[in-house]
Structures are given as structure tokens and as C-alpha cells.
Amino acid sequence: MRIVDVCAFYSPRGGGVKTYVGQKLAMAERMEQDITILAPADDDAVIELCPRARIQTIASPRFPLDRKYWYFKDEMALHAALDSLAPDFVEASSPWRSPLMVANWRPEKPKALILHADPLSAYAYRWLEPLVSRETIDRRFGRYWDHLRQLGRLYDAVVCASEDLASRMKAGGVGNVVTVPMGVEAQRFSAGNRSEALRASLLAQCGLGTDATLLVAAGRLAPEKRLPMLVEAVTIAGRHRPLALAIFGEGRDHSKILRSIGGNPHVRLFRPERHQERFASILASADAFLHGCEAETFCMTAAEASASGIPLIVPDRGGAADFAKGPMGLAYRAADRADLVRTILTLPDRYAERRTGRHVRAMDDHFAALFALYQNLRGGMLLAAA
């Protein structure tokens, strides 16, 4: 198939969507698909990665709240690009305005909406749930739910990567919801990457010896990630047992997170580790993975940590919660700092001897299932037309 992914969240400066896009493009030749990522950017450009994979950009405005992203504004330019690319199947991957632009282009073409973002959890629930119930929030955001339900009618599939998100979409009346879990790079993340020397080095950089517990967090430094909450919880729990927290990431909340760390020498903020093999070793060498965001649609780093054989301390809502199931997972009440402190302190010593990672779905399996879904949808369209 010739697939075009209209990807409003792609940024060359990083993020989970960039990782996902890179993995998808790498699968193009192997799975005999022709894939174009159509993304907003400063300029019109085409980057050919191989005969079957490319990134094409449309000149677009910068997103005002996060300048490393852009947004589609010109519907005619987007339609012209789709006309030129002549896809057999179209993806859209934003819950905002661009999927309506895509839906307006040749309604007879099969289309899927991939939910790479969960604005209700990232914004509405996070801001308002301390004040009112989720049911009340959903009623007040009825227009947004109407928008999601409209997208469910316009698209042949609404693809979610976690059961948590899929179940909420279905409960909200969104149609055509399908769960296609993501995965990890099967040969990269494993417990075999553990390095006691790397663990000791990270602990030393946090001012502690090897008898301490090393916690690792990673991802964008954004408000919905709740990193200051993680820092505060580790600081409080650290009064009862020696704890270090190594955070890897960059983003607009950099200064806020540094302020939350203050003078605590046992919490360090590091630049993102771009070398994937070293990052895999960092995860496998930690004593636990710590995560604060309940708005994940999947949580790639939680999947990678799970495959790396370390315990996970994650919220009980959102995509990361899927990885709290089983003996290596510890879930705390989302957004509840006190419960997070309690959970950190219950991290048992028995994990110290673990050496095998949990089986996590491979990205090859994810893309095979996704492309099979698209082929089935396209086949149904062709039969209906005939």
C-alpha cells in the first residue's frame, strides 16, 4: 500500500512521536509498504530516506505553546499534497483540527485516526479534577466529546495503543475504536544490558553509594509529565531510605524542574541520552523506573523499562498503567504525591536479583497488525465500490 501519515505532532527535535515515526519508516522496506510522513514545518521540503520511505513537510506556523512543534493551517495546501502523493490509505494523528482537514479530502479513501495524544487527560482532567469529578468535566467538555464522536464517524478506524484510552473512547460514544498496542525494539531493550559500573556511576553523580536505590525517569519536560511531583516524592521518601533519581529529558519545564530539585544532591537532571544503546543500558542498570504522567496514550519508556527487567512505579491511569500489571509493577493513585511516596517506600529489595525482562510486544508485531488492519479496511472499501 501507499500510506500517508498526516502527522501534526512530528518534530525533528525529539519526542515519542518522532521515535514512533522513525520506527515506522524503518519498517517500510521490510514490510513492503510505501510510507510518507506528511508533517508541518518551517518550509516545504522532502527528505528521501529510502525508495519506500520519506518525510515531506508543508510550510506551517509554529505552535505558540511549544515552539519545537508546528500546526497545519492551510487546508488547501494539505489537500494538494495528498493529491500529489495519491495514497491508498491515509492516517491522521492529531485529535485537534487537522483530522477534519484530512477527512474532507476524498471521503471515499480509507482513513484511520491514530490517537497519539489524550488532551482530556493532559489538560482538562489534570487542571480540573482536583476541583470537580471527571463526570462533571466530561459534561463541561461536551463539545470536545462531540468532536471526537464526529471523528469516529468520519474515520474507518480510531486506533488506540492502550486499553485505558480505548475503553474511555468507547465509553464516550466514539465509534470504530480499535486497540493496536505498540511495542519496543525487540533486540535493543533487555535485562542483559545491565551494567553495575554504570549504575554505580549514576549513583555517584547523585552523591550516593551503591547501597542506595537508583530510580530513573525519562521523557519530555512538560507539565503533564508531573516531574516536580516525582522530585518532591523522592525527596520525601529519601528521608527514610537512600534514594537517587536520575531524570533524562529536555523541554519547556526545564527551569521549573531545576527549581523543584533545589539543593537536593540526590536528584539530577541530565540531557536526553540520544545514543539508544546507552539509554538501554541506563534503563537496565536502574533499580526502578519512575513515571508521573497519567495522560500517556501508550508510554514507550515504560514499555522499554519493562523489557529491561526493572520494576515500574507508574500512575494507575493512562497508558503506563498497562505496565503495572504483574509482579514487577507498582501503581499509585494518579497525581497523588502522598501515595507515590508510599509506593516508592514499598519497593521491595527482592527485585535486586532480577535478571530477566518482562515480555513486551515488539514494534514489528505492532506494525504488522496495523498494516493488516489497513489492508482489511482498504479491501472492504474496494469490495464495496465494486
Side-chain angles (χ1 to χ4, degrees):
M1 287 181 295
R2 186 179 296 114
I3 300 170
V4 174
D5 176 357
V6 181
C7 191
F9 289 134
Y10 177 78
S11 169
R13 290 176 55 191
V17 172
K18 181 192 176 185
T19 300
Y20 179 79
V21 161
Q23 293 167 341
K24 179 189 287 183
L25 292 171
M27 295 290 174
E29 289 287 347
R30 193 187 319 168
M31 296 190 174
E32 299 183 344
Q33 308 292 340
D34 185 280
I35 301 174
T36 301
I37 304 300
L38 191 57
D42 286 330
D43 304 297
D44 295 324
V46 178
I47 304 169
E48 290 283 352
L49 302 175
C50 70
R52 288 180 179 264
R54 67 204 60 81
I55 299 172
Q56 180 170 328
T57 59
I58 296 176
S60 303
R62 293 264 181 169
F63 186 60
L65 298 180
D66 192 338
R67 300 287 293 175
K68 78 174 184 179
Y69 291 97
W70 297 259
Y71 66 96
F72 289 110
K73 185 178 181 181
D74 189 337
E75 184 168 348
M76 291 182 64
L78 180 57
H79 287 186
L82 287 169
D83 286 335
S84 175
L85 291 166
D88 301 312
F89 198 97
V90 183
E91 299 177 8
S93 53
S94 163
W96 300 110
R97 184 167 173 259
S98 60
L100 293 176
M101 297 180 182
V102 174
N104 289 336
W105 179 80
R106 296 191 61 180
E108 75 280 4
K109 284 286 185 179
K111 300 179 180 72
L113 173 65
I114 298 184
L115 290 183
H116 279 309
D118 178 8
L120 286 165
S121 293
Y123 304 109
Y125 299 155
R126 179 166 60 91
W127 291 337
L128 300 174
E129 210 163 16
L131 306 174
V132 295
S133 70
R134 181 169 288 200
E135 291 75 16
T136 300
I137 297 168
D138 283 335
R139 285 196 298 272
R140 293 183 181 179
F141 281 80
R143 289 181 64 183
Y144 183 71
W145 275 110
D146 288 342
H147 168 70
L148 291 176
R149 286 188 281 266
Q150 180 186 17
L151 294 178
R153 293 189 295 270
L154 292 172
Y155 281 80
D156 303 291
V158 177
V159 180
C160 299
S162 70
E163 288 295 344
D164 179 89
L165 182 58
S167 62
R168 282 200 294 110
M169 292 298 104
K170 291 174 184 176
V174 179
N176 293 322
V177 173
V178 180
T179 305
V180 184
M182 292 185 193
V184 301
E185 294 177 81
Q187 304 306 315
R188 179 160 287 165
F189 295 93
S190 77
N193 294 317
R194 184 173 177 82
S195 165
E196 294 299 336
L198 178 55
R199 177 180 179 274
S201 173
L202 289 169
L203 283 166
Q205 291 178 75
C206 294
L208 291 169
T210 55
D211 59 333
T213 298
L214 174 62
L215 306 175
V216 166
R220 281 185 305 114
L221 308 183
E224 65 270 20
K225 303 299 183 180
R226 298 190 186 273
L227 285 158
M229 181 187 74
L230 301 187
V231 171
E232 293 164 7
V234 170
T235 300
I236 295 168
R239 298 169 188 161
H240 303 276
R241 60 188 283 187
L243 292 170
L245 173 60
I247 304 169
F248 294 85
E250 65 182 2
R252 66 183 186 275
D253 265 16
H254 184 271
S255 297
K256 183 178 180 180
I257 293 162
L258 287 178
R259 288 195 299 272
S260 70
I261 294 172
N264 186 344
H266 308 317
V267 180
R268 291 287 307 277
L269 175 58
F270 297 94
R271 300 283 295 175
E273 181 51 67
R274 305 293 188 192
H275 192 278
Q276 285 297 299
E277 282 70 23
R278 180 171 170 81
F279 182 64
S281 293
I282 288 169
L283 285 179
S285 303
D287 297 308
F289 172 76
L290 189 60
H291 198 64
C293 179
E294 73 277 16
E296 303 286 3
T297 57
F298 175 68
C299 196
M300 188 71 72
T301 49
E304 293 166 348
S306 186
S308 299
I310 62 173
L312 281 74
I313 302 174
V314 297
D316 61 358
R317 294 202 305 260
D322 285 358
F323 300 98
K325 300 166 184 174
M328 297 290 279
L330 297 168
Y332 63 91
R333 287 190 297 274
D336 188 327
R337 186 187 67 182
D339 199 50
L340 174 55
V341 172
R342 179 197 62 76
T343 306
I344 291 171
L345 291 174
T346 63
L347 186 67
D349 294 334
R350 69 175 182 271
Y351 288 140
E353 296 304 318
R354 88 275 177 272
R355 287 293 182 270
T356 59
R358 173 186 172 189
H359 174 73
V360 177
R361 182 185 177 103
M363 284 304 283
D364 295 43
D365 297 329
H366 164 77
F367 287 116
L370 188 69
F371 297 151
L373 170 67
Y374 292 173
Q375 190 67 62
N376 289 338
L377 290 172
R378 182 181 177 228
M381 291 279 195
L382 293 174
L383 286 173

